[in-house]
Amino acid sequence: MKKYILTLVILVISLFTVDGQIDAGFTTVPVVNGKVVFEQYILADQGVGTDQKYALLQKWGKQKFTGNPMLSGIRFDDKTRSVTVSTRDELILPENSVGVNEKIIMSYRFDASITNAGCMLVVRDITYQITQKDAASFFPKVYTAEQTITDQAANATGEEGIRRNAIRNETLSVLNNLYAEISAIF
């Protein structure tokens, strides 16, 4: 009996210490040369050629963004087999966070470039347009990712720190959804 209990305890402890593969592509906010830049390499099926991978990426981009009112621009570069998209997403903060009375629109640009082994995803130029939902002002305040979601910015104290962490978490959620969508096409 003691053997079974000891085995069970060891199994439970090992489950808590195993560093398995994380499904999320982005878990931290990287800063490169003073700018927030998210980069993730997505491995693709090696049985599919680069032209076929690029065709899949183009098809996904056209289906995802055709008719999307939040799309600012999309460019397909056949020579470099890449897609550049400028778009926006509305962030929905949790009910218990500061800033739920605000409308937050995240603008960002991402590049997806096909290589022999997969696809390089780079997300950059992130900004946040924040307006009060009940305010008469038509001019939102604009903040950069560097001002809002970096480790240094998110470590602010009080309500501002809570708000920035909520924005950071929602940003990571949006980017992880993007990462998952692109990963799924290969």
Side-chain angles (χ1 to χ4, degrees):
M1 182 70 175
K2 289 182 181 181
K3 286 182 186 179
Y4 292 114
I5 293 173
L6 181 62
T7 304
L8 182 62
V9 169
I10 292 172
L11 178 63
V12 169
I13 291 172
S14 67
L15 287 175
F16 287 112
T17 60
V18 171
D19 292 327
Q21 181 179 353
I22 298 172
D23 289 331
F26 304 107
T27 57
T28 61
V29 178
V31 179
V32 178
N33 295 329
K35 297 288 186 185
V36 172
V37 179
F38 293 91
E39 297 178 320
Q40 190 70 12
Y41 194 78
I42 301 166
L43 291 174
D45 180 8
Q46 295 306 303
V48 179
T50 54
D51 289 336
Q52 293 168 317
K53 291 175 200 166
Y54 181 58
L56 291 170
L57 183 63
Q58 279 182 314
K59 180 180 176 186
W60 170 81
K62 290 175 183 174
Q63 287 176 343
K64 169 109 176 133
F65 295 105
T66 298
N68 184 339
M70 299 293 258
L71 177 69
S72 298
I74 188 166
R75 185 182 76 227
F76 297 98
D77 188 340
D78 297 338
K79 184 176 181 181
T80 61
R81 294 185 190 101
S82 67
V83 175
T84 301
V85 178
S86 296
T87 190
R88 298 171 296 173
D89 274 302
E90 182 174 356
L91 301 183
I92 309 297
L93 300 184
E95 289 293 325
N96 63 348
S97 70
V98 177
V100 292
N101 195 32
E102 298 172 325
K103 181 176 182 179
I104 302 173
I105 303 293
M106 179 178 79
S107 299
Y108 59 100
R109 178 180 307 210
F110 72 87
D111 301 301
S113 304
I114 299 298
T115 66
N116 289 334
C119 178
M120 183 67 184
L121 174 64
V122 179
V123 183
R124 56 192 165 84
D125 301 336
I126 301 171
T127 60
Y128 303 93
Q129 298 173 357
I130 302 174
T131 56
Q132 295 295 322
K133 289 182 180 177
D134 57 358
S137 173
F138 293 106
F139 300 105
K141 293 180 182 177
V142 178
Y143 299 95
T144 64
E146 294 78 21
Q147 295 171 313
T148 311
I149 64 170
T150 60
D151 291 341
Q152 182 179 0
N155 284 334
T157 58
E159 290 183 354
E160 188 61 25
I162 294 169
R163 183 170 156 263
R164 289 179 185 181
N165 275 304
I167 292 171
R168 176 186 174 126
N169 290 338
E170 284 302 302
T171 299
L172 290 172
S173 176
V174 167
L175 298 182
N176 282 323
N177 287 338
L178 174 68
Y179 169 78
E181 283 186 39
I182 294 175
S183 295
I185 65 175
F186 300 112

